[in-house]
């Protein structure tokens, strides 16, 4: 069974540029999560989807961050415009129940 | 306000000995507790979990203990192996409210197992 797929694995952009990350969850997993992980910290939830509905986006900075999961399968997270402080690893996870989440390898973003 | 704390940033043990990783939490609404393991350049991998109705769960070399009165959980690895060297995150699950189903992670503990 394929795991959670994320692309790109690495991205370097200049500040004020837009960037987008893509995630394809494990087949059959209805719940999809986007996390932010800063160096030396644990993952922090940005947004959680149940199918195509965003059921918890309270931690998503909506002035510059947006996300979508149009058909309830894969998802895109966008930052526009990026700031220096957005440099981090962006993790996608999926689950078929509310507890055990399976993570992708993440996208390491560097904003210069 | 950190709801989940792993107070030891790192732990070093000898191969064959026991590794004990600790985690403290503040919110009694948490009802499910998990440990994740992370290698460099990979996402966290689920390791073991425990429900709040239990105080111990064992899976091979890994055992998780939960002390609800102290709001403390620990992960024991016996015997430790060099391949166990990784970052270990504890995570807790919200049982209710607007954050139902949300996982909150600790900061992680870097475990190094020396041959």
């Amino acid at each position: 069974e394929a795991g959670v797929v994320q692309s790109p694995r690495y991205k370097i952009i200049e500040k004020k540029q837009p960037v987008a990350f893509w995630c394809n969850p494990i087949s059959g997993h209805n719940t999809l999560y986007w996390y932010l992980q800063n160096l030396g910290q644990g993952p922090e939830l940005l947004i959680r989807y149940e199918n195509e509905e965003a059921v918890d986006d309270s931690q998503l900075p909506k002035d510059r961050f947006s996300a979508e999961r149009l058909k309830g399968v894969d998802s895109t997270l966008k930052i526009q415009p990026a700031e220096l402080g957005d440099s981090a690893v962006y993790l996608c996870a999926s689950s078929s129940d509310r507890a055990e989440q399976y993570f992708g390898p993440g996208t390491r973003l560097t904003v210069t | 306000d950190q709801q989940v704390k792993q107070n030891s940033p790192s732990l070093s043990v000898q191969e064959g000995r026991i590794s004990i990783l600790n985690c403290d939490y503040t919110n009694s609404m948490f009802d499910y507790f998990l440990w994740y393991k992370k290698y460099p350049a990979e996402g966290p991998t689920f390791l073991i979990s425990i429900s709040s109705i239990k105080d111990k769960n064992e899976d091979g070399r890994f055992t998780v203990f939960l002390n609800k009165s102290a709001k403390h959980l620990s992960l024991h690895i016996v015997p430790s192996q060099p391949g166990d060297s990784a970052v270990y995150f504890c995570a807790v699950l919200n049982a209710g409210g607007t954050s139902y189903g949300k996982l909150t992670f600790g900061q992680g503990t870097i475990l190094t197992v020396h041959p």
Side-chain angles (χ1 to χ4, degrees):
Chain A
E1 180 183 87
V4 176
V5 179
Q6 289 188 249
S7 68
R9 292 294 312 276
Y10 304 91
K11 188 73 176 179
I12 301 173
I13 61 170
E14 293 183 348
K15 62 181 180 182
K16 300 185 182 180
Q17 294 301 306
V19 65
F21 315 123
W22 177 80
C23 171
N24 192 36
I26 292 173
S27 178
H29 282 192
N30 296 329
T31 309
L32 184 146
Y33 313 77
W34 283 103
Y35 286 88
L36 166 70
Q37 186 175 17
N38 287 305
L39 188 64
Q41 300 294 319
E44 299 174 40
L45 182 69
L46 289 172
I47 189 168
R48 174 167 66 98
Y49 283 94
E50 295 286 350
N51 298 304
E52 64 273 10
E53 181 183 0
V55 296
D56 184 358
D57 63 356
S58 57
Q59 303 302 311
L60 190 73
K62 298 180 184 64
D63 57 337
R64 298 184 300 106
F65 286 66
S66 64
E68 59 183 16
R69 194 186 185 198
L70 294 176
K71 297 182 179 178
V73 180
D74 58 347
S75 175
T76 303
L77 177 69
K78 297 178 182 177
I79 308 174
Q80 182 171 10
E83 297 179 353
L84 294 176
D86 297 331
S87 295
V89 176
Y90 291 83
L91 293 161
C92 179
S94 69
S95 69
S96 58
D97 60 43
R98 67 187 181 103
E100 293 166 15
Q101 300 176 22
Y102 296 84
F103 285 81
T107 297
R108 180 175 294 277
L109 174 66
T110 302
V111 182
T112 63
Chain B
D1 178 28
Q2 264 187 311
Q3 296 190 70
V4 183
K5 290 184 180 179
Q6 294 177 253
N7 290 316
S8 298
S10 62
L11 175 68
S12 182
V13 300
Q14 205 68 31
E15 181 178 8
R17 299 291 185 101
I18 184 171
S19 296
I20 300 177
L21 298 104
N22 294 300
C23 179
D24 296 296
Y25 61 95
T26 58
N27 190 337
S28 59
M29 289 290 287
F30 296 141
D31 75 340
Y32 203 75
F33 306 86
L34 305 91
W35 284 94
Y36 280 79
K37 174 180 178 180
K38 184 181 183 303
Y39 291 117
E42 295 183 12
T45 302
F46 169 73
L47 192 57
I48 192 169
S49 62
I50 187 168
S51 164
S52 60
I53 63 173
K54 295 185 176 181
D55 54 18
K56 177 183 175 181
N57 187 29
E58 191 173 349
D59 183 2
R61 298 186 296 113
F62 302 91
T63 303
V64 56
F65 295 91
L66 176 63
N67 182 334
K68 289 187 291 293
S69 61
K71 295 189 177 71
H72 177 85
L73 76 157
S74 61
L75 174 68
H76 292 208
I77 306 173
V78 180
S80 301
Q81 299 173 355
D84 296 329
S85 297
V87 181
Y88 288 79
F89 292 98
C90 70
V92 297
L93 187 72
N94 280 58
T98 56
S99 297
Y100 176 81
K102 175 183 175 181
L103 273 182
T104 301
F105 286 83
Q107 310 95 303
T109 297
I110 301 170
L111 173 66
T112 304
V113 181
H114 298 283

